[in-house]
Amino acid sequence: MTQYIPVTTCHDCGLLQQISHMPEEGAVKCCRCDATLRKRERVKPEKSIEHTLALVVTALVLLAISNAFPIIKVDAEGHEMAVTLFGCVKYLFTHEMVFIAGLVFLTTIGAPLIQLTGLLYILLPLNFNRIPPFAPQCYRVVRIITSWSMLEVLMLGILVSIVKLSAMATVAPSIALWSFALLMIVIAAILNDVDKELLWELISPDTKGRDRQQYKSDVQLTNCHNCHLIQTVSPEQESACPRCKADIHWRKPDSLTRCTALVIAATVLYIPANLLPVMVVTSMGKTEGDTIISGVMYPMSFV
């Protein structure tokens, strides 16, 4: 079934444009920056909810396995120890590294759990043609928390740690490491598979975008930064999106100033982040500091 989308905005350059025809399979590109506006895969729209729901359930099972079993097993001088992700968070918390413990918990356990349970809460009733209560607000939280899910960073850190620890002890990957790798792939498939525009229309059918001709020629249009609903807005007055209740601005306040300050701060922090050690290891009375660059170069020395 071809879906007609009257007006949309490019997620990259923000150009307001009209899509006259949406193909059954393929993509529609922005006429200014060539970014993908909408795409359709082989999965039909009526089957996309069922397909995404299956991926979400699979990801939840993998997330449970990843946190229930050890990630790696370390054998050092006859002492064997199994390490779980939650055990690492608990260790950091008990050793007064509360901020790091909270950050690890949020990015590797909390954010993926909220993301997947939120999608399950929305997709399961939709699969039976029902709209769950507070679905737009729930999906807004899911979209915000998705940027805090950093399983790929966790996997990279685990792989570097395994390589470094292998010089001091016997390290064996356990079942949770493989389930984390599969979980990362499944979550990437979910983000690629979910049809965001279709999902917004299903959970909030009363706030569909209108055709451009229904707006007056002198009315300023903008889109919601969260759900991308096209709507009118006054530059002098802030308002809330009627679909996801996010704050709507004609322009982000002081966006250029804030962006410039953040770029300068990131540039200043980039140099010490690569030159100073991120980990200090003491073994047999010898202390050695490891930087990010040394962690990258160490595996290459075996090639």
Side-chain angles (χ1 to χ4, degrees), residues 84-118:
T84 63
L85 182 58
F86 188 77
C88 295
V89 175
K90 184 179 178 180
Y91 177 87
L92 292 171
F93 184 80
T94 54
H95 285 72
E96 298 182 354
M97 291 182 279
V98 180
F99 177 76
I100 299 178
L103 192 61
V104 172
F105 179 82
L106 173 64
T107 56
T108 60
I109 300 177
L113 181 62
I114 295 173
Q115 176 189 5
L116 295 174
T117 53

Side-chain angles (χ1 to χ4, degrees), residues 13 23 29 37 39 46 52 71 90 102 109 132 150 181 186 212 214-215 221 223 228 254 258 261 264 275 284 303:
C13 68
K29 301 286 186 177
L37 297 177
K39 65 178 180 179
E46 58 270 15
T52 308
I71 301 175
K90 184 179 178 180
I109 300 177
M150 303 181 184
V186 173
R212 191 169 187 173
Q214 297 180 17
Y215 295 107
L221 302 178
N223 67 320
H228 304 288
D254 303 321
R258 291 160 59 188
I264 294 174
L275 296 180
M284 306 293 289
V303 179

Side-chain angles (χ1 to χ4, degrees), residues 2-3 36 44 72 94 107 147 150 154 172 176 192 199 203 208 212 261 300:
T2 303
Q3 183 181 9
T36 301
K44 298 301 180 182
I72 57 175
T94 54
T107 56
S147 59
M150 303 181 184
L154 171 68
N192 181 70
L199 194 57
I203 63 179
K208 292 183 180 180
R212 191 169 187 173
M300 297 178 63

